[in-house]
Amino acid sequence: VLEKWGAAKEVAIKAWEMGKSDPRKILFSAKMGLALMLISLLIFLKGQPFKDLSRYSVWAILTVVVVFEFSIGATLSKGFNRGLGTLSAGGLALGMAELCELAGEYEEVLVVLSIFIMGFIATYAKLYPTLKPYEYGFRVFLLTYCFIMVSGYRTGEFLNTAVTRFLLIALGAGVSLVINIGIYPIWAGEDLHNLVAKNLKGVATSLEGCVNGYLDCLEYERVPSKILTYQASSEDQLYSGYRAAVQSTSQEESLVSFAVWEPPHGRYMMLRYPWKNYLKVAGALRHCAFMVMALHGCILSEIQAPPEHRQVFRKELQRVGIEGAKVLRELGEKVKNMEKLGAGDILLEVHDAAEELQSKIDKKSYLLVDSESWEIGGRQKVERETPESSYLDEEHKVLEHKSRSEAILNLRATTLPRNWEGHHSNTNPPAPPTPPNSERVFKKQISWPARLSHDALDTVLIEESKTYESASVLSLATFASLLIEFVARLQNLVDAFEELSIKAAFKDPAQHSAEA
Amino acid sequence: VLEKWGAAKEVAIKAWEMGKSDPRKILFSAKMGLALMLISLLIFLKGQPFKDLSRYSVWAILTVVVVFEFSIGATLSKGFNRGLGTLSAGGLALGMAELCELAGEYEEVLVVLSIFIMGFIATYAKLYPTLKPYEYGFRVFLLTYCFIMVSGYRTGEFLNTAVTRFLLIALGAGVSLVINIGIYPIWAGEDLHNLVAKNLKGVATSLEGCVNGYLDCLEYERVPSKILTYQASSEDQLYSGYRAAVQSTSQEESLVSFAVWEPPHGRYMMLRYPWKNYLKVAGALRHCAFMVMALHGCILSEIQAPPEHRQVFRKELQRVGIEGAKVLRELGEKVKNMEKLGAGDILLEVHDAAEELQSKIDKKSYLLVDSESWEIGGRQKVERETPESSYLDEEHKVLEHKSRSEAILNLRATTLPRNWEGHHSNTNPPAPPTPPNSERVFKKQISWPARLSHDALDTVLIEESKTYESASVLSLATFASLLIEFVARLQNLVDAFEELSIKAAFKDPAQHSAEA
């Protein structure tokens, strides 16, 4: 008994929590109860004209149970499907019934045969992909057709059956609509709006988490098998942030398919509100989220860049991460508040950060590949010989242990930068002839400002010859270039947002702050 | 009139094509028609004991229309929901009716109130996420409860209403089941099975497409906006291959939720067939597909590696692509034929290919970063100065134009390889002291065999000092390391497949070939 009591208590707690987190669910349930209650009052109508209504009240109940959906859009679309299905099936059945009666003694055969044929056609049609949204309509069509044929045949009152049924369905649909829209309506469009805003912020959180995790050398002791098989996991915020954005396709699509049914309302007071553009924004966000996913892949990977190397790029990587997340968050806020973008370029900072990262990479690219050359040799501690890489930087002298080769590096590091970083190549010498086949590559390439001068070309230095490098070091390059690719994809997202903000006539931000 | 005729013809053609591509759809529609026909024969039962049956035949029709689903699993699960909902609601309604009658003059109030309360509870419960699969059951519960209360009250025959209704529903469900299972059954499990096999092959095609496209410098004139917003596109085979695998989550989940309802049958003759393991394989495949997606991202990217550089790694990249696709295809075949893996390591070749790629990268890593140093200068043709890189290789002398710096490279290229590639470092010198903090990085790292000897360390060569490099060159490194990461993820997929093959008792391949 105690156990049962405990289980019951648990259920009650869960139910209470669900209600607290989304009070609309409680309201909706109460609305449903109310609608059913109103319909069931039909049975108390006992006067003559209402007798049929009360007798067939089950149709009204059925309609309420089926049509009363969570969002207004879903209710309207189901109601429409039901109405259309009933009407067309009713018309067809009446016509068919006339025909069958003409057939005389073959009437039964014709009735049964027509049911087979209609069953076949309606079922076949609803399997056609583009007719999928009307699946419910086909079901109703089939049900109504069979019902009218069968019960009409039995009682001989085809017309009466059809009309009563239609009236009761209309009544049920009417009650559902009035109550569902009249009392605290729940809009699918609003849900879609919030979903997109939430996903923008989720991806921002994931991005920050990825960059910080990478820099802090976050490692999974054992990668959760949920991630390996791409299942939902609520524990890992980093993972759930982008997964939600990637995974919400079908949810968004069904919300849009409901939202288009909803009349203009509240903040969406506009005929033909561009709900489809929310899909576009969500799609563009997904395109960005895939890059965050690939960044996360760098953390999950078995191949890890040495932590010291990551520190060299810490500032730049972190800045890109922060600025990127800022852009996503700002877009999220803008969507939420339905504001247009400001006059400034929202991507300015993040592009700047990415360029900074790029130029840092350019300057330190030796860290990304041939740093091995400085210290190399078979390592007995690791079972198989793993190439080893160490980090050397003129600013942070991390390594206690100094070798001759490091001295060479330092020589190089201190001799060259004056040439590399000193002047931003305003002194361009005439360009040397370009090999013809390398030209088209640069057509589409983002051009980072060249930071080198021709002088450097002639500075010949003694350097280690080894170009051997390990996958582990390349992994840092991969992380950085995925991050840069992420930034490149942001443009696409911003474009999609701008299209939405124009089509949906979002407020101007200035206007908004004036109001406030 | 001609227009309408044309439209009708088009519809007919489309319908015909759908039937040809999946004849099961025609069969299913015919089965549906047959079931409805059988049920409608009820109306011809006019004898006394059947009178009620024929009068309430609408319930049987309703049940057929609702329960008759495409796959057996869906039919069974809906039938179960419907049965349970009806039974529990019937029981509850009968009990409630007794109670209400006791209330005397307040009967009406009680009836209506109980409807409100049940409506509230059932609706609230079905909104709870874990109860989602039973949504339909709750609907039926609500409908039955209201129906019995209302019509029972009206006629005073609660019990009779409930029993008739239940009998007719059972009849409808029985007819549906017999016809649906008896005649050419369509199994959700079979669909799931085929879906997973198909997706494996789709990802293989995408992978090959990506690698080949990258090597052939496939470029999108303008990236299709469908890709940028992650929408379905049937034109781009490369894209649709991995997208199908990534996108089929919800389809797989619904198929599994149906498949678990299906009795053992055909090739799946086993109690508790491990359908969930198909989900795991699909999830692991998805995890790989994300890498293919990232590879595709390299093709879509604005930042492109110079074509000459790609050619250097052509053989190795292509081999990894081909071997990777082979593994996926083989797994696809194995799933399709329900065979276990053979004795050999399926991943041997692809791992070898990846190692080869890795060692090639190691040897040529200078191409990935500082190749600029050979030929450099401000380029006036491009608007902003883009760093330029050219490809130099001892095997293929691509460039017509030779500069002094190239000569240096050639010197290097011909002097060194003997040291680099010659001996596979069996002559390891004692390891130099290792900086302590770089050690943990290698813990999890895949260890590629070291290909260098210590001798190389001392070979000092004159080299260009510039380490400046462009994002475009890094992009090749990114592509390669993503490809290697893809290979690493294959292990996970193979593991998931092995678990499935054991749990589902796939055939041994030897046994299979003996049979053939």
Side-chain angles (χ1 to χ4, degrees), chain A residues 217-388:
Chain A
C217 298
L218 171 74
E219 272 184 63
Y220 289 82
E221 277 296 304
R222 216 177 139 263
V223 178
S225 71
K226 279 192 175 172
I227 294 183
L228 288 180
T229 55
Y230 190 61
Q231 285 169 309
S233 156
S234 54
E235 297 141 37
D236 197 331
Q237 262 228 315
L238 197 166
Y239 172 64
S240 58
Y242 69 78
R243 190 184 184 278
V246 168
Q247 200 51 26
S248 55
T249 355
S250 54
Q251 201 189 347
E252 280 157 14
E253 265 160 26
S254 77
L255 282 176
V256 164
S257 73
F258 296 147
V260 292
W261 281 94
E262 293 175 350
H265 59 276
R267 304 199 284 168
Y268 316 96
M269 198 58 82
M270 176 193 247
L271 276 177
R272 301 186 154 275
Y273 194 83
W275 294 116
K276 298 232 152 137
N277 279 85
Y278 276 100
L279 277 193
K280 261 196 175 172
V281 172
L285 173 64
R286 207 159 288 129
H287 200 58
C288 293
F290 288 132
M291 273 298 127
V292 177
M293 180 183 261
L295 289 174
H296 192 207
C298 289
I299 296 181
L300 298 175
S301 173
E302 291 185 15
I303 305 161
Q304 291 287 338
E308 314 89 58
H309 282 203
R310 304 185 196 191
Q311 297 318 313
V312 182
F313 299 97
R314 174 172 210 110
K315 214 183 78 206
E316 288 76 15
L317 286 173
Q318 209 155 34
R319 187 167 161 225
V320 175
I322 289 171
E323 294 298 337
K326 219 192 215 163
V327 170
L328 289 177
R329 288 226 175 78
E330 191 169 340
L331 285 178
E333 272 306 304
K334 294 266 177 197
V335 168
K336 208 172 161 195
N337 302 331
M338 306 183 73
E339 261 178 39
K340 279 189 180 143
L341 286 179
D345 182 5
I346 189 176
L347 292 174
L348 193 69
E349 284 291 307
V350 71
H351 277 167
D352 192 53
E355 275 180 48
E356 206 183 321
L357 171 63
Q358 183 62 52
S359 74
K360 178 84 167 206
I361 291 174
D362 294 343
K363 273 181 278 170
K364 306 270 181 195
S365 66
Y366 55 88
L367 284 176
L368 298 179
V369 279
D370 41 351
S371 56
E372 262 70 89
S373 357
W374 322 132
E375 257 189 55
I376 206 96
R379 299 179 66 221
Q380 306 301 354
K381 288 182 189 173
V382 186
E383 270 203 26
R384 291 164 89 192
E385 285 83 33
T386 39
E388 166 199 353

Side-chain angles (χ1 to χ4, degrees), chain B residues 356-367:
Chain B
E356 206 184 322
L357 171 62
Q358 183 63 51
S359 75
K360 177 84 167 205
I361 291 173
D362 295 343
K363 275 181 275 169
K364 306 270 180 195
S365 66
Y366 56 88
L367 283 176

Side-chain angles (χ1 to χ4, degrees), chain A residues 14-15 18-19 26 28-30 32-34 37 40 43-44 54-55 57-58 62 65-66 69 108 112 115-116 120 123-124 128 139 142-143 147 150 153-154 219-220 227-230 247 249 283 286-287 290 293 297 301-302 304 307 358 361-362 365 369 373 376 378-379 384-387 412 416 420 428 431 434 441-442 444-448 452 454 457 459-465 467-469 471-472 474 477-478 481 485 489 492, chain B residues 14-15 18-19 26 28-30 32-34 37 40 43-44 54-55 57-58 62 65-66 69 108 112 115-116 120 123-124 128 139 142-143 147 150 154 219-220 227-230 247 249 283-284 286-287 290 293 297 301-302 307 358 361-363 365-366 369 373 376 378-379 384-387 412 420 428 431 434 440-442 444-448 452 457 459-460 462-469 471-472 474 477-478 481 485 489 492:
Chain A
K14 274 189 186 159
M18 181 171 88
I26 298 181
F28 171 69
S29 305
M32 178 78 162
L34 187 66
M37 205 170 80
S40 67
I43 45 171
F44 302 113
S54 131
R55 207 169 111 202
S57 59
V58 59
L62 186 65
V65 168
V66 162
E69 291 275 349
E108 282 96 342
V112 170
I115 286 180
F116 175 81
F120 180 82
T123 310
Y124 196 66
Y128 195 74
R139 255 179 226 270
L142 214 51
L143 174 61
F147 174 68
V150 168
Y153 171 81
R154 198 173 54 83
E219 272 184 63
Y220 289 82
I227 294 183
L228 288 180
T229 55
Y230 190 61
Q247 200 51 26
T249 355
R286 207 159 288 129
H287 200 58
F290 288 132
M293 180 183 261
S301 173
E302 291 185 15
Q304 291 287 338
Q358 183 62 52
I361 291 174
D362 294 343
S365 66
V369 279
S373 357
I376 206 96
R379 299 179 66 221
R384 291 164 89 192
E385 285 83 33
T386 39
R412 180 183 124 165
L416 274 181
W420 289 353
N428 285 316
T434 319
V441 188
F442 295 105
K444 288 171 66 187
Q445 182 180 317
I446 287 180
S447 44
W448 308 101
L452 60 133
H454 204 250
L457 254 186
T459 320
V460 175
L461 253 193
I462 295 163
E463 213 204 18
E464 282 294 334
S465 63
T467 45
Y468 182 93
E469 58 96 355
S472 77
L474 257 192
T478 304
S481 80
E485 174 65 20
R489 290 188 176 186
N492 181 29
Chain B
K14 275 190 186 160
M18 183 170 87
I26 298 181
F28 171 70
S29 305
M32 178 77 161
L34 187 65
M37 206 170 79
S40 67
I43 46 172
F44 302 113
S54 129
R55 207 169 112 203
S57 58
V58 61
L62 185 66
V65 168
V66 162
E69 291 274 350
E108 282 95 344
V112 171
I115 286 179
F116 175 80
F120 179 82
T123 311
Y124 196 67
Y128 194 74
R139 254 180 227 268
L142 213 53
L143 174 61
F147 173 68
V150 167
R154 197 174 54 84
E219 273 184 63
Y220 289 83
I227 294 182
L228 288 179
T229 54
Y230 189 60
Q247 200 52 24
T249 354
R286 207 160 286 128
H287 200 58
F290 287 133
M293 180 183 261
S301 173
E302 291 186 15
Q358 183 63 51
I361 291 173
D362 295 343
K363 275 181 275 169
S365 66
Y366 56 88
V369 278
S373 355
I376 205 95
R379 301 181 65 223
R384 291 163 90 191
E385 283 84 31
T386 40
R412 181 183 124 165
W420 288 354
N428 284 315
T434 320
R440 53 185 282 274
V441 187
F442 295 104
K444 288 170 65 187
Q445 181 179 317
I446 287 181
S447 44
W448 307 102
L452 61 133
L457 254 185
T459 320
V460 175
I462 295 162
E463 213 203 18
E464 281 292 337
S465 62
K466 276 298 305 112
T467 44
Y468 183 92
E469 58 96 355
S472 76
L474 257 193
T478 305
S481 81
E485 173 66 20
R489 289 187 176 186
N492 182 29

